[in-house]
Amino acid sequence: MSINLGTPAVESPRVLATRRVTRKVRVGDRWVGGDAPVSVQSMTTTLTSDINATLQQIAELTAAGCDIVRVAVPSQDDADALPAIAAKSKIPVVADIHFQPRYVFAAIDAGCAGVRVNPGNIKAFDDKIADIAIAARQNGTGLRIGINAGSLDKRLMVMYKSDPAGALVQSALNEAKLFEEVDFHDFVISVKHHDPVIMVEAYRRLSSACDYPLHLGVTEAGPAFQGTIKSSVAFGALLAEGIGDTIRVSLSAPPVEEVKVGIKILESLNLRPRQFEIVSCPSCGRAQVDVYTLAADVNEALKHFAVPIRVAVMGCVVNGPGEAREADLGVASGNGRGQIFVKGEVIATVPENQIVETLITEANKIADSFTSSGTPDVVIS
C-alpha cells in the first residue's frame, strides 16, 4: 500500500504525542493551553511609541498568520501608546515589561491582552505580586512569567553554574508560588535559554513540576539560518513529547520570518493545518532538469497560495512519477519535459518551460474544487 503525500480529506492528522494537559489561560480573544491549538507569537521591532509604525508591523504579522504579538515597553512614551495599539490590533497584544513595575499596571490599564514580566529584571518585583494579581484579575489580563538565562534571579546564580536548567525552573516555580499564594493562576511560564539542550531540559523538568501552559523559546537564537535550526530542533523535541502551548522563534531577522518558521514547525508536526507545501527531491546525477531552479520557481509562484495542497517537484524518472502521483499536484521531469499529475492521474506532458505555468493553472483548479468546509477532494492512494 503506497503512502499518500497529499492532503488528507477525512482522516485526522497523525501526531507524535498527545498534548500535555495544562491549565487554560485567556489572552484577549485567544486561549493558551488546555485544548487550544499551539499558537505562534512574534514581537514587533518598531518603537512602540510610534503607534502607526507599530500597528503597520502588527498588521503584517497578522497577515502572516501570527496569533499573538508582543510589544516592548521600556519607556513612558511606549506605555502611553499602548491603549491605541491594544484597541486597534486585530490580534492580542502582550506588553513586554522589564525594570519598571509601574509599566505592568499601565499595560493592564491600557487594555493589553497580556503582560510578560521578567522577574529577574524588575526591582522588588516580588513585593508587587499581590497588586499585580489584583489588577490583572480585575481586567481579565493574562500574564507570562518570563524567565531568561541572561536575567536570572541573582539568588540562583550559584545554582546556575552547576545546573542551569534547574536554576531556570526553580526561578519560575518560585515566582509561580508567589502568585499562587494570592490565588492568581492566569499565567503562562517560559524558561528560555540560548542553548537548545539546556532549554529542552528546562522545559521537560518544568512540565513535570507544574500544569501551567508553557511558552517555548530559544532566546537569542541568532541569524535566520542558525536560529531556525536551533529553534526547530528544540521545539521539535518538546512538541513531539506533547510539551508546549505557544511558541516564538527568536531570529535576528524581520519578525514576519519568525512567524513563517513557527508556522512551518507546527505544520511539520501536524499541530497546525498544513497550507501550501512543496515536496521536492534534492537532485542527484540522475536528474534531467535543474531541480533547484524549478522548485524555487514553483515555490515563488505559489508561495501565497492559501489552499492546503502538497505539490511535488521531481527531477527524474526513478522516484519522480510515484511521488508526484501521490501528491495533490506534481511534476516528474526528464528529457526536457514534465509529466503533470493531478490527484494521482497524468493530465499532461508539457515542455520544461511550461511546467510552472501549468502547475499554477492546475493549482487554481484544485482551489476551485474545495468544498464549503475547506477540504479538497483528494484521491487517497
Side-chain angles (χ1 to χ4, degrees), residues 193-258:
H193 198 283
H194 65 85
D195 184 327
V197 174
I198 295 174
M199 176 268 198
V200 168
E201 182 182 355
Y203 277 99
R204 282 174 173 164
R205 289 161 69 171
L206 182 60
S207 70
S208 66
C210 71
D211 64 352
Y212 291 104
L214 301 183
H215 170 91
L216 303 187
V218 177
T219 190
E220 298 128 13
F225 178 76
Q226 173 183 297
T228 295
I229 298 300
K230 290 172 71 173
S231 297
S232 298
V233 168
F235 293 1
L238 292 166
L239 292 169
E241 297 173 9
I243 299 171
D245 303 282
T246 182
I247 65 173
R248 187 227 172 158
V249 179
S250 298
L251 302 178
S252 298
V256 165
E257 297 305 311
E258 296 184 349

Side-chain angles (χ1 to χ4, degrees), residues 171-184:
S171 180
L173 294 177
N174 289 349
E175 301 302 333
K177 183 177 180 181
L178 293 176
F179 277 106
E180 291 170 346
E181 288 174 350
V182 293
D183 197 27
F184 185 84

Side-chain angles (χ1 to χ4, degrees), residues 269-290:
L269 292 168
N270 284 336
L271 294 173
R272 192 176 179 115
R274 292 176 185 265
Q275 298 301 311
F276 163 65
E277 179 184 9
I278 283 188
V279 176
S280 59
C281 65
S283 191
C284 67
R286 295 188 300 264
Q288 297 176 329
V289 67
D290 182 352

Side-chain angles (χ1 to χ4, degrees), residues 56-120:
Q56 175 60 36
Q57 193 167 76
I58 290 175
E60 294 168 358
L61 288 166
T62 304
C66 186
D67 298 304
I68 298 170
V69 64
R70 187 157 41 110
V71 298
V73 189
S75 73
Q76 186 60 51
D77 287 343
D78 298 315
D80 292 341
L82 290 177
I85 293 170
K88 294 181 180 179
S89 173
K90 300 298 184 183
I91 57 177
V93 173
V94 174
D96 189 73
I97 310 297
H98 296 258
F99 305 114
Q100 294 293 342
R102 69 175 184 273
Y103 296 150
V104 176
F105 299 101
I108 293 173
D109 292 340
C112 288
V115 179
R116 182 272 178 126
V117 293
N118 186 338

Side-chain angles (χ1 to χ4, degrees), residues 90-363:
K90 300 298 184 183
I91 57 177
V93 173
V94 174
D96 189 73
I97 310 297
H98 296 258
F99 305 114
Q100 294 293 342
R102 69 175 184 273
Y103 296 150
V104 176
F105 299 101
I108 293 173
D109 292 340
C112 288
V115 179
R116 182 272 178 126
V117 293
N118 186 338
N121 274 347
I122 299 179
K123 186 177 181 180
F125 176 77
D126 293 354
D127 296 337
K128 306 291 184 181
I129 293 286
D131 292 335
I132 291 173
I134 291 172
R137 185 181 295 112
Q138 290 176 343
N139 289 272
T141 309
L143 302 179
R144 172 156 70 90
I145 298 173
I147 307 299
N148 274 13
S151 52
L152 190 66
D153 187 325
K154 301 301 184 291
R155 294 168 292 184
L156 292 169
M157 290 306 294
V158 173
M159 178 182 179
Y160 179 79
K161 291 179 181 179
S162 60
D163 183 11
L168 291 169
V169 173
Q170 191 59 55
S171 180
L173 294 177
N174 289 349
E175 301 302 333
K177 183 177 180 181
L178 293 176
F179 277 106
E180 291 170 346
E181 288 174 350
V182 293
D183 197 27
F184 185 84
H185 305 273
D186 295 330
F187 55 84
V188 179
I189 302 178
S190 61
V191 283
K192 296 185 179 182
H193 198 283
H194 65 85
D195 184 327
V197 174
I198 295 174
M199 176 268 198
V200 168
E201 182 182 355
Y203 277 99
R204 282 174 173 164
R205 289 161 69 171
L206 182 60
S207 70
S208 66
C210 71
D211 64 352
Y212 291 104
L214 301 183
H215 170 91
L216 303 187
V218 177
T219 190
E220 298 128 13
F225 178 76
Q226 173 183 297
T228 295
I229 298 300
K230 290 172 71 173
S231 297
S232 298
V233 168
F235 293 1
L238 292 166
L239 292 169
E241 297 173 9
I243 299 171
D245 303 282
T246 182
I247 65 173
R248 187 227 172 158
V249 179
S250 298
L251 302 178
S252 298
V256 165
E257 297 305 311
E258 296 184 349
V259 173
K260 291 178 180 178
V261 174
I263 288 174
K264 283 302 179 184
I265 290 173
L266 296 183
E267 286 182 4
S268 297
L269 292 168
N270 284 336
L271 294 173
R272 192 176 179 115
R274 292 176 185 265
Q275 298 301 311
F276 163 65
E277 179 184 9
I278 283 188
V279 176
S280 59
C281 65
S283 191
C284 67
R286 295 188 300 264
Q288 297 176 329
V289 67
D290 182 352
V291 177
Y292 304 150
T293 299
L294 180 58
D297 289 346
V298 173
N299 185 67
E300 181 64 26
L302 299 178
K303 67 181 180 181
H304 298 302
F305 210 63
V307 176
I309 65 171
R310 190 167 286 158
V311 180
V313 178
M314 298 296 151
C316 76
V317 297
V318 175
N319 295 319
E323 295 185 4
R325 187 179 295 112
E326 291 168 357
D328 301 318
L329 170 63
V331 59
S333 307
N335 296 321
R337 296 175 296 175
Q339 198 171 40
I340 308 295
F341 292 82
V342 175
K343 300 178 184 177
E345 301 295 331
V346 177
I347 58 99
T349 299
V350 300
E352 186 176 326
N353 62 4
Q354 294 180 20
I355 289 175
V356 177
E357 176 185 351
T358 305
L359 290 175
I360 294 172
T361 298
E362 297 304 325

